Amino acid sequence: MFLEVIVLAAGQGKRMRSDLPKVLHPLAGRPLLAHVLETARALTPKRIFVVHGHGAQAVQAAFAGQQDLEWVLQAEQLGTGHAVQQALPRLSKDAMALILYGDVPLIGARTLDELVSAAREGLSLLTAEPADATAYGRLVRDSSGRVARIVEHKDASESERAIREINAGFYALSVARLAAWLPRMKNQNAQKEYYLTDIVGFAVGEGVPVAAVKAADPWEVAGVNSKRELAELEREVQRREAARLMESGATLADPSRIDVRGTVQCGRDVSIDVNCVFEGRVALGDGVVIGPNCVLRDVSIGSGTQVLAFSHLQEAEVGAHCRIGPYARLRPGATLAEDVHVGNFVEVKASRLGAGSKANHLAYVGDSQVGRRVNIGAGTITCNYDGSAKHRTVIEDECFIGSDSTLVAPVRISRGSYIGAGSTITKDTPPGQLTVGRAKQVSIPSWKPKKKA
Ligand code: UD1
Ligand code: CA
């Protein structure tokens, strides 16, 4: 039987106290729902339905372009059973249905595989025994230990509330059975909702086997209902990321002080100091050292390069054996060849710096092509913007740009040029010559200081 997945994601998430629909809150940099969808895809289902309602447009927009998703609108949230009912007409009659929640992000593909296998005979549901079962539906078993029904916390008696085995809310069953049972739900309960959990009672009534599959890891069934739970899950994800990095050989100064919001690939002997944030796709070559408090987003860094404290790198490509920072900023399109130094308070944007070039202090290099072994002195600015358009600066190999120079683009500093400190360069310079573009220094011998009154 082929598989179709239904992800319930229509709820408001009142306790989040947020304008953002709950399933869009980020966990490790991605919406909660994205985590669930990734796991669902690992099972290679034939189709994935997402039942959405609250903030429907925003939710759909966040996943625009993901052609494999089929959106089902639940305009009014009348309960989990009602939610699945909205998808029912579009499910394939001969499919196996797997029902997931969009706000339970750490569910594992292996556990879901087990759940699906367990449904071959009838209905399977996922269970757990969390430390605090309040707010969950409880699994009521009969005297011989078979699952009898599920009772919601709000509907449960004192003795039922003492049950520690809970319903995680994930089920697998044939669409044929789902179609037979869903119309039989009633909303006569404490919440006046159509409870999906009623299918368990129907299965038992018809003698259809009900298999309870226990989640291997309690985090797999942990849902997000509040900012606090979101933060707890975030820590768990980060703990796993740190463990994975260390297993791959990275040295972390403190595994509890690293945040990965994307993917980090490490070579051998990478070392990462405290409080670094990695976003998007980050690749660190062998022996890369990242100092404390750095932010790296979509960057690749060549082997042996050091990124010193408080540096911010985004959409940049850094070669081998470079030294970046402390307090450096590489903006989108910064491409550094090997042995490049970008020091404190230096900003590089949409520019290529050739091998061995250095900008060690207080400089802005934007929209530029910088050759090899160029020295860019402190305070140098490429004036790339004239108020309406951006222009390019070309600095050829082995130039020396004196401190506090302004290079007014478009301009070309030819090979081996030496620019005197404090120059404002508005015209291309000839190769191998000293160019000075500043007022001549004068001293006035007849000058006398004014007498104070
Ligand atoms: C549900 C289960 C409960 C289980 C718990 C696990 C029912 C009646 N109860 O309770 O046994 O222990 O999950 O977390 O099913 N949703 C919709 N549309 C709706 C209602 C909910 O899409 O009309 C979605 C929510 O967005 C959420 C999921 O379904 O992702 C679960 O809804 P929630 O309200 O959290 O269910 P609980 O009442 O907590
Ligand atoms: Ca819930």
Side-chain angles (χ1 to χ4, degrees), residues 7 9-10 50-57 59-60 71-75 77:
V7 182
V50 183
V51 181
H52 68 319
H54 236 276
Q57 278 183 332
V59 174
Q60 216 171 325
W71 296 92
V72 175
L73 186 68
Q74 184 193 22
Q77 285 78 57

